[in-house]
Amino acid sequence: KSIANRIKAKGLQKLRWYCQMCNKQCRDENGFKCHCMSESHQRQMAMFSENSGKYMDEFSREFEEGMMEIIGRKARSQRCSANVVYREYIANRHHFHMNSTIWETLTDFIMYLGREGKCEVDETEKGWFVTYVDRDPEKLRKLEERAKRERTELDSSER
């Protein structure tokens, strides 16, 4: 029985019964209810209530970093569906759940990335698509140097 329980615990469970504060995944409603009544959960929630903004900002930052890593890998040169990126992100068992961030939906998060200029975002009838905008200072500096070199070559040829 213990081996069967460990095998069940390895896979992804329903998000509905996950506690982000405790990093605890429960298999069913009863297990989640028992977890919520536990003393350790009550302590964690007391800490959260004292400084909820700090926790929400930290969870949001971690979520954004994880998503941007995948977007940077998958959508660097071509546009990619936001749902595909999100499914890859949540395939990692220890990801930060969106319901513990400041964004309520994936659409809100994708629109945030577009407003901040971190990604090019477009909406089609098939859903939201993102393209990574590379803002690496080293790469931007090299592009600027190349453009400057080309301008000087043009100037010398005109002379």
Side-chain angles (χ1 to χ4, degrees):
K1 185 175 181 179
S2 67
I3 293 171
N5 286 341
R6 271 185 264 139
I7 289 171
K8 286 180 198 170
K10 266 187 185 176
L12 291 172
Q13 303 290 324
K14 275 193 175 182
L15 173 63
R16 185 173 170 187
W17 297 306
Y18 184 80
C19 177
Q20 185 73 58
M21 279 302 293
C22 304
N23 291 325
K24 174 90 169 123
Q25 176 72 60
C26 300
R27 255 185 258 146
D28 56 13
E29 188 175 6
N30 185 44
F32 188 70
K33 188 174 105 180
C34 291
H35 167 71
C36 289
M37 300 301 230
S38 71
E39 188 178 326
S40 63
H41 177 77
Q42 297 297 328
R43 277 196 309 267
Q44 291 282 18
M45 293 313 289
M47 286 174 28
F48 178 79
S49 65
E50 288 173 8
N51 197 352
S52 60
K54 179 184 128 196
Y55 286 103
M56 291 287 280
D57 291 343
E58 179 66 22
F59 292 152
S60 299
R61 188 182 60 76
E62 292 285 340
F63 177 80
E64 183 180 349
E65 285 176 4
M67 285 289 286
M68 287 304 293
E69 178 187 331
I70 294 171
I71 290 171
R73 198 169 358 100
K74 281 186 94 63
R76 184 174 292 276
S77 58
Q78 63 199 28
R79 69 185 204 141
C80 186
S81 171
N83 283 326
V84 170
V85 173
Y86 184 67
R87 279 197 302 265
E88 184 174 331
Y89 176 74
I90 64 173
N92 175 10
R93 189 164 178 239
H94 301 290
H95 69 277
F96 281 84
H97 296 269
M98 185 176 280
N99 62 358
S100 62
T101 65
I102 57 174
W103 303 288
E104 292 181 11
T105 62
L106 181 60
T107 301
D108 290 343
F109 177 67
I110 297 301
M111 289 171 62
Y112 160 79
L113 291 179
R115 277 194 312 272
E116 295 293 314
K118 296 179 180 184
C119 292
E120 290 178 16
V121 175
D122 57 315
E123 183 181 16
T124 66
E125 64 277 351
K126 293 183 179 180
W128 289 92
F129 286 84
V130 293
T131 307
Y132 184 73
V133 175
D134 196 4
R135 300 229 185 272
D136 182 30
E138 184 69 22
K139 195 170 187 178
L140 291 174
R141 187 181 56 77
K142 286 181 181 178
L143 285 172
E144 190 176 300
E145 286 176 3
R146 186 181 305 142
K148 195 182 289 185
R149 208 173 326 126
E150 289 173 358
R151 279 196 305 266
T152 57
E153 288 174 6
L154 283 175
D155 290 343
S156 62
S157 65
E158 287 174 1
R159 287 182 200 148

